[in-house]
Amino acid sequence: AFTVYDIARRFGKAQVAKIEPQTRNMAMIGRSLTAMDLLKAKQGWYNVQYQTGLLLEQYDMILCPTVPTPAIKHGILPTSKLDEALIMASRGLNKGVNVGKFLLDSGAMEKLSHPILSKMAYTMLGNITGLPAMSVPLGMSKKGLPIGMQFIGRMTNEETLFSLAGEMERAGWFTKAQCEL
């Protein structure tokens, strides 16, 4: 919400109209949150950071898929039901209703956003923890789209990830022939 506000303040409201609808919608929801909501979310993020840190005391890194499904072509991801509802609200069809607050309080937010967020299930761990992570193309789908695997390292240990990526590249793991499934 602050970023969109800051863009409008610094560059004008016309620039905000150029931001993709999902981002504008997230800003609208962000304006519906209270300081208490922010603090509860930060506590949840801290708990995930702490537990992941404990896990990485035993292991050098975490290996997981980048996304839980084969890749889809750029621009194909459909607008979610959440985005459709928020776009309608932003066009004034629900004047006087705090749509963001309603979606959060009713539990509809989770249901409506699931189709999109489920595509990012694994990359969110890196975002929430702030740990260094990299995605590498270790396979190709039958449609010729990359299949990525994500490595998540220990805090401030980007060196291990870069070293691993270099070894994999030198071994030829990123060539199309090596990646065919």
Side-chain angles (χ1 to χ4, degrees), residues 151-165:
F151 293 87
I152 302 171
R154 294 177 178 155
M155 186 63 74
T156 71
N157 193 9
E158 289 86 352
E159 180 181 353
T160 300
L161 295 176
F162 284 128
S163 178
L164 176 62

Side-chain angles (χ1 to χ4, degrees), residues 43-172:
Q43 181 64 46
W45 282 32
Y46 170 77
N47 291 339
V48 171
Q49 291 168 335
Y50 180 75
Q51 293 300 319
T52 306
L54 290 177
L55 179 68
L56 287 168
E57 286 179 0
Q58 301 173 39
Y59 302 98
D60 293 329
M61 61 187 68
I62 297 168
L63 171 63
C64 60
T66 302
V67 293
T69 62
I72 58 173
K73 290 189 179 194
H74 178 69
I76 300 293
L77 193 61
T79 303
S80 72
K81 296 291 183 198
L82 172 63
D83 290 322
E84 291 172 10
L86 294 176
I87 288 167
M88 283 192 336
S90 68
R91 290 185 181 149
L93 298 177
N94 294 312
K95 287 191 187 273
V97 175
N98 184 335
V99 176
K101 183 88 172 124
F102 170 76
L103 289 170
L104 291 169
D105 291 347
S106 70
M109 177 78 173
E110 288 82 8
K111 288 181 182 176
L112 293 171
S113 62
H114 183 266
I116 301 299
L117 292 179
S118 66
K119 302 273 189 247
M120 301 180 267
Y122 297 104
T123 56
M124 282 192 277
L125 181 60
N127 293 336
I128 290 171
T129 62
L131 293 171
M134 69 175 180
S135 174
V136 294
L138 293 184
M140 275 303 184
S141 72
K142 291 179 182 171
K143 294 182 179 180
L145 296 169
I147 297 175
M149 293 300 287
Q150 178 179 225
F151 293 87
I152 302 171
R154 294 177 178 155
M155 186 63 74
T156 71
N157 193 9
E158 289 86 352
E159 180 181 353
T160 300
L161 295 176
F162 284 128
S163 178
L164 176 62
E167 287 180 39
M168 294 168 86
E169 186 174 29
R170 285 187 294 280

